[in-house]
Amino acid sequence: MFKDNFGNTIHLYNEPNSSVFYVGKSGSGKTYAMKSHIIEKMYEGKIIEVYDNADSFSKEKFENVYLNDLSKLIFIDITKGNFYYAVVDANNVEDYINIILDSFIEVLVIKKDDVKLLLKELIINSYGMFKSISIEQLLFLTSMVYKGELTLSNMYGINTVRQLEYMLDSYKNISIFYMWRENYDQIIDDCGCVKENKGNIGKCCIYNMPGYSIEERAFIVEMSLAILWRKTIVSKEQNERYIVIDECQLISLDKDRSLARMLRMGRQYKIILLLATQFYSSMSKEQILTVEQVGTVVYLKPSDCEIIKIAKAIDYNNFKIWIRKIATFRRGDAVIKGSYSINDNCSIWDRPVICKIEHNRVKNRRK
């Protein structure tokens, strides 16, 4: 995927951290590089989940990347109510509810104990009614709590329960937290997102979010990551999976959030992150320090206002030299900062290296 200026193949060194952070302005080849990375990992039999919060991974856009078997790319439009996530075993309702509640509290930064208690009761009731909980339902319940329309004293009234059941039923169009349904196993088999893959080519499940605002998409991604992280810890899963997020600066990187935890401890659970941003300079120092816990950073062509900051990130002591180098970058040019090997040589290098992004998996073009 990476070739240096002499035509040598650069192999990223995956130990102890396989996560990668891509940085580059719009049009630098950043998204193409991520797609190429995804496909390379698919050919290695890996399982990949893409949260398309920046509209970078639609089926139409993926056709520009050369893949022989597009059927291995599973596109799921979550606005159509078919976004499923295995949380815990269907018989373990208590773990399920606690995972949902804790994730929701994390994402919305809920600190009041009375609100937490009420939300837990509402989640239990919602699960009892529908055997499922959706994002829309959770947001609706929370808004009612904060407006004072639902309290512990009135939530058990007959009229309140019937009214609640009626209102919740209209908020089920994102079935992200389904616990069980008749075709659940088939959905998971089709998506290949939570089971170990045993084929030669892996699967990539892409969650598209058309029609949602930036804030709504950020909430969906953060909630999904929070659930995934807690589910992984509870079940002690060790199935390797790749999580892909473009424009990661839109997702909270606070130290107590699940994305930050994955960056710090994900390798213990074989969670590998592929992150990207085109707004490096808008990220705070704390955000950059958090996200650069990845094993490798790939710097593509930056915008003019970011050249100095990027050059210092590459090599602070020699940043003036790097300013001159990256100022001449074209689409697909990049600097790799991290551990890597060259060709088939087993020696590991860690000095920054300039390279080009190439894609070796070429599909047959139509004439």
Side-chain angles (χ1 to χ4, degrees):
M1 178 174 158
F2 300 104
K3 297 279 188 180
D4 68 12
N5 291 336
F6 302 99
N8 297 309
T9 301
I10 305 296
H11 301 284
L12 301 185
Y13 185 60
N14 294 328
E15 297 296 337
N17 190 342
S18 301
S19 294
V20 180
F21 180 36
Y22 288 92
V23 180
K25 73 173 188 177
S26 178
S28 65
K30 170 175 56 65
T31 304
Y32 178 83
M34 294 183 76
K35 291 175 182 176
S36 298
H37 199 148
I38 288 169
I39 292 173
E40 289 294 315
K41 292 305 172 183
M42 287 178 64
Y43 274 96
E44 293 176 13
K46 307 300 184 183
I47 299 298
I48 304 157
E49 296 180 43
V50 180
Y51 293 94
D52 188 20
N53 61 311
D55 286 334
S56 303
F57 298 95
S58 65
K59 186 174 183 179
E60 293 75 19
K61 292 180 180 179
F62 238 108
E63 289 176 349
N64 294 326
V65 180
Y66 310 135
L67 179 67
N68 288 319
D69 191 358
L70 282 173
S71 67
K72 297 299 181 179
L73 296 171
I74 312 297
F75 296 89
I76 297 181
D77 183 347
I78 69 170
T79 62
K80 295 181 180 180
N82 55 359
F83 183 25
Y84 299 85
Y85 221 115
V87 180
V88 289
D89 185 85
N91 296 318
N92 199 337
V93 176
E94 183 177 355
D95 274 352
Y96 167 73
I97 290 174
N98 286 333
I99 285 175
I100 298 297
L101 178 65
D102 291 343
S103 300
F104 201 53
I105 288 171
E106 173 194 317
V107 175
L108 291 187
V109 196
I110 298 171
K111 296 182 178 180
K112 293 184 177 180
D113 290 336
D114 58 335
V115 175
K116 294 178 184 179
L117 179 60
L118 182 53
L119 282 174
K120 183 172 184 177
E121 291 295 322
L122 291 171
I123 289 172
I124 291 172
N125 277 270
S126 181
Y127 174 80
M129 294 175 191
F130 304 108
K131 304 302 180 188
S132 66
I133 304 170
S134 74
I135 278 182
E136 304 284 23
Q137 288 173 331
L138 287 170
L139 290 175
F140 174 70
L141 291 174
T142 306
S143 67
M144 291 186 71
V145 171
Y146 278 106
K147 290 177 183 177
E149 297 173 3
L150 270 179
T151 64
L152 284 172
S153 60
N154 72 4
M155 68 171 289
Y156 292 109
I158 296 297
N159 292 334
T160 301
V161 171
R162 288 177 177 173
Q163 183 183 16
L164 184 62
E165 183 173 354
Y166 172 77
M167 290 186 291
L168 287 177
D169 193 47
S170 63
Y171 283 88
K172 290 184 62 180
N173 54 330
I174 303 183
S175 304
I176 181 174
F177 304 133
Y178 259 77
M179 189 69 170
W180 175 89
R181 53 189 292 152
E182 291 179 1
N183 60 343
Y184 174 78
D185 286 338
Q186 184 59 47
I187 292 169
I188 295 303
D189 285 338
D190 290 343
C191 296
C193 295
V194 296
K195 291 188 176 181
E196 189 77 26
N197 181 55
K198 297 180 181 179
N200 293 324
I201 298 180
K203 291 185 179 180
C204 177
C205 192
I206 301 171
Y207 302 118
N208 303 117
M209 309 176 196
Y212 282 92
S213 68
I214 292 175
E215 293 78 12
E216 289 170 329
R217 294 179 186 195
F219 176 85
I220 291 169
V221 175
E222 289 183 25
M223 191 70 185
S224 302
L225 294 178
I227 290 172
L228 171 60
W229 182 243
R230 286 169 173 79
K231 168 185 175 287
T232 301
I233 293 174
V234 169
S235 62
K236 298 180 180 179
E237 283 188 359
Q238 290 294 319
N239 294 339
E240 187 177 69
R241 74 170 78 210
Y242 284 73
I243 305 296
V244 182
I245 304 173
D246 196 5
E247 302 304 344
C248 66
Q249 79 281 353
L250 300 175
I251 310 303
S252 176
L253 287 163
D254 291 347
K255 64 179 182 179
D256 294 327
R257 295 298 185 95
S258 291
L259 181 55
R261 292 189 179 108
M262 288 180 181
L263 284 163
R264 292 196 305 268
M265 301 178 286
R267 71 193 75 173
Q268 300 175 23
Y269 300 94
K270 296 185 179 180
I271 293 177
I272 300 165
L273 297 163
L274 303 183
L275 307 176
T277 184
Q278 61 175 308
F279 299 107
Y280 187 81
S281 61
S282 68
M283 298 176 69
S284 68
K285 183 178 180 180
E286 291 72 21
Q287 286 180 314
I288 292 173
L289 288 174
T290 298
V291 80
E292 287 186 347
Q293 293 181 83
V294 299
T296 304
V297 183
V298 179
Y299 298 99
L300 292 98
K301 182 176 178 61
S303 60
D304 292 341
C305 65
E306 293 189 324
I307 287 180
I308 295 176
K309 191 170 184 178
I310 295 295
K312 289 182 176 179
I314 294 171
D315 186 348
Y316 188 86
N317 294 325
N318 299 293
F319 76 92
K320 291 183 179 179
I321 296 174
W322 283 103
I323 287 176
R324 293 193 294 271
K325 290 181 177 181
I326 62 179
T328 63
F329 273 13
R330 297 181 178 181
R331 178 182 173 86
D333 293 339
V335 176
I336 293 177
K337 184 179 180 180
S339 299
Y340 58 89
S341 61
I342 300 175
N343 294 328
D344 296 324
N345 195 313
C346 60
S347 299
I348 303 300
W349 303 83
D350 60 3
R351 63 173 180 259
V353 59
I354 295 176
C355 62
K356 290 185 178 294
I357 296 169
E358 297 184 358
H359 190 15
N360 299 324
R361 304 287 182 178
V362 181
K363 67 181 180 181
N364 297 323
R365 289 182 175 272
R366 293 180 182 178
K367 295 183 179 180

